[in-house]
Amino acid sequence: DGPAIQPGSRSYEAAWMRDGAMTSGALLRYGVTDVVREFLSWYAGYLMEDGRVPAIVIIGRNEVNPVKEFDSQGEFVHACWDYYRFSGDRKFLEKMWPKAERALQFLAQIRQSESDESRKTNPDQARYYGILPKCVSHEGYYPEPGNHSFWDDFWGLKGWKDALSIARVLGHTNRLNWIAREEQA
């Protein structure tokens, strides 16, 4: 449906960042760059002021589903990097960098909610120290606040890793230390 990459036009009238990022990876490997660029440009228009990348955009209604999922930020950054790797389109990467950086700032902010030092001394909570907060990132994670999703943590880490590559390519050396610290944390 236009620039929206969606899991199935008959099943869903929505686009997920996760499906779009992974479908984009496949399309890029087949040399289809224009569809991916259009998708990323379209989806980037839905980023929220605080940097949150919505997990789901409802097609045709110009709205996002407010569900709390935290994998989208890393998937967005990864998809931008993947697009550049296959297209060499530096101008587009530069255009996406401010949005990717805002998504990373959101990741850093929400991860801080799990970085309370008291977690380290609580045996039931120590394993959650410093990872992303609970969410409803997968079916079965309801009711809110959901569970800790290692899927979200994986994509967060992937986003930080790819952000290092983006910052290097674009010459944003002033962001390298911050990105590396957040990835390690």
Side-chain angles (χ1 to χ4, degrees):
D1 288 334
I5 293 175
Q6 61 192 85
S9 60
R10 292 185 182 172
S11 303
Y12 301 102
E13 284 302 318
W16 274 255
M17 187 67 236
R18 76 174 60 104
D19 295 327
M22 288 187 265
T23 300
S24 292
L27 290 169
L28 291 166
R29 284 157 178 80
Y30 283 103
V32 180
T33 57
D34 56 335
V35 171
V36 174
R37 183 182 61 252
E38 290 172 20
F39 169 72
L40 289 170
S41 293
W42 173 75
Y43 214 99
Y46 291 96
L47 267 69
M48 299 177 184
E49 284 300 313
D50 64 0
R52 183 173 161 234
V53 177
I56 306 166
V57 174
I58 310 301
I59 299 168
R61 294 199 323 226
N62 197 31
E63 67 182 61
V64 301
N65 182 318
V67 66
K68 286 186 182 177
E69 298 187 15
F70 300 131
D71 54 330
S72 302
Q73 288 66 225
E75 291 157 349
F76 178 76
V77 174
H78 167 71
C80 290
W81 175 242
D82 224 16
Y83 172 77
Y84 171 77
R85 288 189 321 119
F86 285 90
S87 70
D89 188 346
R90 182 186 168 103
K91 186 175 179 180
F92 182 79
L93 191 63
E94 288 173 351
K95 179 181 169 188
M96 290 294 110
W97 173 250
K99 294 184 181 282
E101 189 174 26
R102 276 196 0 237
L104 294 168
Q105 289 166 345
F106 179 78
L107 271 181
Q109 175 191 347
I110 63 172
R111 192 186 60 74
Q112 285 301 314
S113 69
E114 301 295 301
S115 298
D116 181 349
E117 292 296 317
S118 67
R119 280 189 181 274
K120 289 181 175 180
T121 59
N122 181 333
D124 294 333
Q125 295 297 311
R127 65 183 167 174
Y128 301 121
Y129 177 82
I131 66 173
L132 293 175
K134 290 180 177 182
C135 70
V136 293
S137 194
H138 302 291
E139 294 81 2
Y141 277 27
Y142 284 96
E144 287 192 20
N147 291 307
H148 285 94
S149 169
F150 295 120
W151 171 265
D152 290 357
D153 296 315
F154 166 81
W155 280 108
L157 287 169
K158 183 68 175 139
W160 288 111
K161 179 179 185 278
D162 290 346
L164 274 172
S165 298
I166 294 171
R168 284 185 187 114
V169 164
L170 297 179
H172 294 295
T173 55
N174 61 325
R175 301 310 272 158
L176 293 175
N177 287 337
W178 172 67
I179 293 168
R181 275 194 318 270
E182 286 296 326
E183 180 189 12
Q184 284 301 307

